[in-house]
Amino acid sequence: MSWIDNRFEEGLIVTSLDWAINWGRTSSIWPMTFGLACCAIEMMAVGASRFDIDRFGAGAFRATPRQSDLMIVAGTVTYKMASRLKRLYNQMPDPKYVIAMGACTVGGGPYFKHGYHVVKGVDLVVPVDFYVPGCPPRPEALLEGLMRLQDKILHQTRAKDPMSRVRAEVLAK
Amino acid sequence: MGTTVLQSGSDVLTDVEGSEQGDLRTEEMLVNMGPQHPATHGVLRVVLRTDGEMVLESVPHIGYLHRCAEKIGENLQPFQYIPYTDRMDYLAGMNNNQAFSIAIEKLVGIEVPLRAQFIRVIFAELNRIASHLVAFGTYGLDMGAFTPFLYAFREREMILDLFESTCGARLTYSYITIGGVHDDLPDRFLEVLDEFLDYFEPKIDEYNQLLSFNHIFVKRTANVGVISADDAVRWALTGPVLRASGVNWDLRKSTPYEIYDRFDFDIPIGLPGGREGVPRSVVVGDSWNRHIVKVWEMRQSCRIIRQAMAQITDGPHIAAKVKNVKLPDDEVYVEIENPRGQLGFYVRGDGSSIPARVKVRGPSFCNISVLNHVGKGCLLADIPAIVGSIDIVMGECDR
Amino acid sequence: MAPEEICIILTGEFGDGVVDTVLDACRPYAVVRVDGWSDIARFLRDDGRMRFNMLQCVTALDLLEDNKLAAVYDLFSVPVVGVGPCATLRQHFAIRVEVDRDAPHIPSVSGIWPAAEWHEREAYDMMGIVFDDHPNLTRILCPDDWEGYPLRKDYEFPLEYHGIPATTEHQLNSPRH
């Protein structure tokens, strides 16, 4: 959640502003090159000639978390990697999104049973917005995940959550 | 107090005590490269001890993708384990399937039909091309050239289309299996493959013009990270890394498995500069040679595929009754030539259908272990050049 | 050279150092005594008839029923142009060293074949075999604070690692098969 969120009452200005900001954010998602394993190759294929993620404005793969909005966790997360993953996530500026790409990040995948060193799902480490199943997911599947993420961003608002006041009151009691 | 400087063009460290810079004191610094770094090809972590721009020590740390493949091998039947071999060297799934299948076939004594062997050779070589294309493209990325990556992936997608038409998967095939291959070739496969080869072979020259003989690329890679032939063998380096050091060693030729003895092909080895169009600054065993050997190997793979297409016979594509085989109380160690080097499988049976031990000798594991030895005394910017030319896949390095 | 001849030479040179030779296996090997292993390794590398210049693989085995651990060394002699008589040798052989499970100490051969350094670290990490005189015997694949040796047959999977649950209710309750 960035500084502008959850400050103003809903109104004409806020909704127009929402539309403009969301349009900007949707069309320029900068993913982080966070390839861990097999899925990273499909993530590269998405960025390469045939599938061309640039069509959706998400082709600017950044090598540093500080410049990226989206972390595509592509591949198996191990315990040795988990703390690094968390640190990288914390370094990303808000608003930040996470796509869990592949069966391993969704829930351990083929390494669920005998994988003593595999984290059984990246959502145990960082919050996940979208899950893209598959082992590995086809590039089209990742693009679908990206478009669902764009849908999500499009429907975000800067306005105050009407429930937030109620929630605060409940918590105060 | 003396400082150390790097003499240009060599790895010699010289003490310049008493010179003008003699009173200059430089602090050593630890630079942590990875595990999240675009030039480490996955989750390799290299801890560099640097003196200014110069690398005094480069210690690779691995294990960030340790996925317990060997433990899984002890808990599943061999044919169930085939999909896990795909995920070790995920750029060369076919070759990994083939290595494990050969190991089990040798242990149990399964005769593979001839047609299946031809199909295996075709797919193993196609996968070798696809893998080298990724190596070529990402090495360009490491050296700051983005376009070769797009070219390489364009051709790679065509190979993946061929794979997809045969087994339905783009990356993790499980196609080559114990006793043969899973399905027969689809209709018109060989014609499409022929068209692809006609299209692809001239492209190799294009790649060389685009990247390999590019002046900037040669400057970045020539005479960088030189590995002598003796060192290469002592450190058990294999594959293109070994051949770039001038050792004429390829398991397909020297100890042929499957039906590789039926084909006529050459083994590209590293060449010194000035010969056969090789840039002058190149020496045997440097990063440029490690790169160009892979490009040359793609052409040889095309030759093998063409011969296999001409010689392929009709017949069954898989031996009868290969599931639920009982593994004898015996052990086997098989190595085959993977795109990255010699991939070895050690399988030990105990009379049941589940192996008692499966051990994988990953070529990347052995190849990257030499990094500290090679990286001593080079410049900081040379480390990505060396790591990229060794062409590791962390999936099989950590397993 | 055939594995039989290698075994004969080894037994002739080292006598009791070679405990057993298994020649009818899929891949023949010799079992050697742990205290003589360094000398045998040096002999295998340097002798003109052997010239095993490449250590391909070190496999650690858990022989639970015998209460032993073992390390299997796969050796190969690669012909390198210009390095003398080995130019014609292309032989493969394996050596097995067995140690007691309670005190698994094997002399390191990383001084003889540098390739052994990482392989031995892996064997230590996965199976808990201690290689004496190893320059840097630390865990290589698992994190440094990992507990237990995962590839041992009696290894218990962790339930949690640094606050990340390692198992789920379902896995705990589902029947083992």
Side-chain angles (χ1 to χ4, degrees):
Chain A
M1 188 183 287
S2 61
W3 62 272
I4 199 171
D5 289 356
N6 214 1
R7 288 166 71 110
F8 313 106
E9 296 293 338
E10 201 167 312
L12 181 68
I13 296 173
V14 171
T15 44
S16 312
L17 195 66
D18 271 347
W19 183 86
I21 291 177
N22 288 343
W23 174 79
R25 282 184 181 168
T26 319
S27 328
S28 66
I29 300 172
W30 286 14
M32 181 166 73
T33 50
F34 195 59
L36 295 172
C38 338
C39 292
I41 307 298
E42 290 297 66
M43 189 170 79
M44 277 157 69
V46 171
S49 329
R50 183 177 292 181
F51 297 97
D52 194 10
I53 201 172
D54 268 326
R55 293 177 294 162
F56 305 96
F61 279 96
R62 298 282 99 187
T64 160
R66 296 178 200 280
Q67 298 174 354
S68 41
D69 314 305
L70 169 64
M71 179 151 100
I72 303 176
V73 186
T76 316
V77 183
T78 60
Y79 287 122
K80 204 170 177 180
M81 194 67 199
S83 56
R84 272 81 178 173
L85 184 117
K86 186 151 194 159
R87 176 183 284 194
L88 288 166
Y89 178 79
N90 289 339
Q91 286 177 349
M92 286 167 65
D94 280 326
K96 52 191 171 190
Y97 307 96
V98 176
I99 289 182
M101 179 186 182
C104 297
T105 49
V106 172
Y111 302 96
F112 182 81
K113 189 165 178 193
H114 304 292
Y116 50 85
H117 193 245
V118 174
V119 177
K120 312 293 187 296
V122 71
D123 48 6
L124 296 170
V125 186
V126 295
V128 175
D129 291 279
F130 284 95
Y131 297 89
V132 181
C135 192
R138 295 183 56 87
E140 293 94 330
L142 181 59
L143 290 176
E144 167 88 21
L146 181 78
M147 284 188 270
R148 294 289 80 78
L149 175 67
Q150 290 178 329
D151 289 349
K152 178 178 180 176
I153 298 175
L154 266 184
H155 292 99
Q156 281 179 337
T157 176
R158 257 41 54 185
K160 261 187 190 160
D161 182 3
M163 290 303 288
S164 64
R165 192 169 48 87
V166 181
R167 231 180 275 128
E169 278 170 13
V170 170
L171 281 176
K173 282 175 194 169
Chain B
M1 191 67 222
T3 57
T4 42
V5 292
L6 186 75
Q7 271 187 353
S8 61
S10 76
D11 293 340
V12 184
L13 306 178
T14 336
D15 206 0
V16 288
E17 190 147 7
S19 69
E20 285 171 11
Q21 303 132 320
D23 56 343
L24 211 84
R25 207 191 134 160
T26 52
E27 296 273 322
E28 286 175 2
M29 189 166 74
L30 278 180
V31 179
N32 205 354
M33 179 173 156
Q36 198 268 330
H37 190 280
T40 53
H41 291 223
V43 283
L44 173 69
R45 172 173 162 230
V46 187
V47 177
L48 304 160
R49 194 158 61 80
T50 60
D51 183 359
E53 275 292 298
M54 200 173 60
V55 177
L56 303 177
E57 195 179 38
S58 52
V59 183
H61 289 251
I62 64 169
Y64 292 94
L65 195 55
H66 175 49
R67 298 195 278 193
C68 332
E70 290 172 10
K71 190 77 177 176
I72 293 168
E74 302 174 1
N75 284 289
L76 295 181
Q77 294 186 12
F79 76 93
Q80 294 174 312
Y81 189 58
I82 291 274
Y84 289 93
T85 62
D86 274 321
R87 285 156 184 80
M88 282 172 205
D89 185 349
Y90 35 79
L91 289 175
M94 293 282 184
N95 303 66
N96 289 28
N97 294 164
Q98 191 189 18
F100 186 65
S101 302
I102 291 175
I104 297 294
E105 282 152 12
K106 202 170 164 195
L107 184 64
V108 183
I110 296 173
E111 190 76 22
V112 182
L114 190 59
R115 182 177 174 82
Q117 301 207 17
F118 274 111
I119 298 176
R120 280 181 176 192
V121 167
I122 289 175
F123 278 97
E125 293 306 317
L126 270 179
N127 213 162
R128 192 183 309 276
I129 296 175
S131 169
H132 282 343
L133 278 174
V134 175
F136 164 85
T138 50
Y139 197 37
L141 276 184
D142 291 348
M143 297 296 102
F146 192 77
T147 324
F149 168 74
L150 298 174
Y151 279 73
F153 267 64
R154 182 184 65 190
E155 267 76 71
R156 181 173 175 269
E157 289 289 338
M158 294 176 183
I159 299 177
L160 297 194
D161 281 348
L162 288 167
F163 289 163
E164 212 177 326
S165 71
T166 312
C167 61
R170 283 167 51 85
L171 204 62
T172 47
Y173 315 103
S174 307
Y175 176 64
I176 297 176
T177 185
I178 298 156
V181 292
H182 199 272
D183 301 290
D184 209 340
L185 294 175
D187 297 340
R188 286 196 69 246
F189 177 83
L190 293 178
E191 293 160 47
V192 181
L193 179 57
D194 197 40
E195 280 170 28
F196 166 74
L197 290 178
D198 288 342
Y199 167 82
F200 178 70
E201 271 178 315
K203 295 282 175 201
I204 298 173
D205 291 327
E206 196 178 305
Y207 298 152
N208 281 340
Q209 283 167 15
L210 191 66
L211 184 70
S212 310
F213 292 97
N214 182 305
H215 192 66
I216 303 169
F217 180 77
V218 173
K219 281 254 174 194
R220 284 293 305 274
T221 54
N223 203 4
V224 166
V226 182
I227 305 175
S228 70
D230 198 38
D231 274 351
V233 173
R234 283 191 325 127
W235 288 88
L237 311 184
T238 46
V241 182
L242 177 66
R243 290 193 281 278
S245 296
V247 182
N248 191 339
W249 185 252
D250 188 320
L251 286 185
R252 291 175 294 170
K253 200 85 164 179
S254 51
T255 54
Y257 52 95
E258 301 264 29
I259 47 167
Y260 274 105
D261 45 359
R262 296 184 180 215
F263 307 119
D264 173 36
F265 61 99
D266 301 323
I267 303 167
I269 59 169
L271 293 175
R275 271 172 49 189
E276 297 179 34
V278 173
R280 273 180 193 287
S281 48
V282 167
V283 294
V284 174
D286 65 353
S287 298
W288 191 86
N289 263 316
R290 284 194 285 276
H291 165 80
I292 201 71
V293 160
K294 285 177 212 132
V295 179
W296 286 334
E297 266 181 25
M298 288 199 266
R299 185 169 283 134
Q300 299 304 324
S301 292
C302 289
R303 272 178 77 188
I304 297 174
I305 296 171
R306 282 198 191 276
Q307 292 171 46
M309 283 162 65
Q311 295 176 27
I312 192 167
T313 52
D314 282 335
H317 63 272
I318 190 164
K321 271 192 74 88
V322 289
K323 283 193 177 173
N324 294 318
V325 286
K326 290 267 183 290
L327 303 174
D329 192 359
D330 199 350
E331 61 183 49
V332 72
Y333 180 75
V334 168
E335 282 199 347
I336 73 160
E337 192 72 31
N338 219 37
R340 266 156 213 85
Q342 295 172 13
L343 174 72
F345 271 99
Y346 173 95
V347 183
R348 179 174 175 76
D350 59 354
S352 73
S353 59
I354 294 175
R357 178 83 166 93
V358 174
K359 158 86 187 176
V360 191
R361 181 242 194 243
S364 305
F365 179 82
C366 297
N367 287 359
I368 199 64
S369 68
V370 81
L371 182 64
N372 192 16
H373 182 68
V374 180
K376 274 198 184 86
C378 72
L379 294 177
L380 195 55
D382 292 340
I383 290 290
I386 296 170
V387 174
S389 69
I390 292 176
D391 184 29
I392 48 164
V393 165
M394 291 316 285
E396 110 200 301
C397 188
D398 299 343
R399 299 179 296 283
Chain C
M1 202 186 290
E4 294 81 14
E5 298 171 52
I6 296 175
C7 286
I8 291 168
I9 294 173
L10 276 184
T11 345
E13 287 282 333
F14 293 97
D16 286 349
V18 182
V19 181
D20 192 11
T21 54
V22 183
L23 293 169
D24 56 345
C26 227
R27 190 272 321 255
Y29 61 90
V31 185
V32 304
R33 280 167 63 95
V34 62
D35 43 7
W37 166 227
S38 300
D39 298 333
I40 294 177
R42 203 169 290 281
F43 175 79
L44 285 170
R45 186 191 66 174
D46 293 337
D47 190 78
R49 296 161 291 181
M50 301 292 172
R51 291 276 176 187
F52 288 107
N53 49 4
M54 185 184 271
L55 175 76
Q56 289 175 304
C57 188
V58 179
T59 309
L61 298 177
D62 187 3
L63 311 167
L64 189 60
E65 55 272 16
D66 303 341
N67 200 32
K68 275 182 177 171
L69 295 173
V72 182
Y73 298 77
D74 277 278
L75 306 169
F76 206 95
S77 55
V78 175
V80 183
V81 180
V83 193
C86 70
T88 53
L89 296 180
R90 286 174 182 188
Q91 52 196 9
H92 177 212
F93 197 62
I95 299 286
R96 179 155 146 176
V97 185
E98 290 180 1
V99 281
D100 199 28
R101 208 178 150 87
D102 305 319
H105 286 270
I106 296 179
S108 168
V109 290
S110 56
I112 298 167
W113 295 287
E117 190 180 326
W118 275 30
H119 283 298
E120 287 178 346
R121 275 178 73 187
E122 190 191 338
Y124 165 73
D125 188 359
M126 294 286 117
M127 207 67 94
I129 301 175
V130 179
F131 292 90
D132 298 327
D133 303 326
H134 188 283
N136 177 26
L137 195 66
T138 50
R139 285 190 181 268
I140 183 166
L141 295 177
C142 292
D144 287 337
D145 57 353
W146 196 258
E147 281 172 24
Y149 301 106
L151 282 183
R152 287 197 181 182
K153 296 285 182 196
D154 53 359
Y155 176 67
E156 300 266 335
F157 280 26
L159 296 177
E160 185 231 39
Y161 179 77
H162 284 246
I164 307 165
T167 183
T168 61
E169 291 291 314
H170 166 76
Q171 195 187 15
L172 277 181
N173 299 330
S174 63
R176 298 221 157 218
H177 53 82

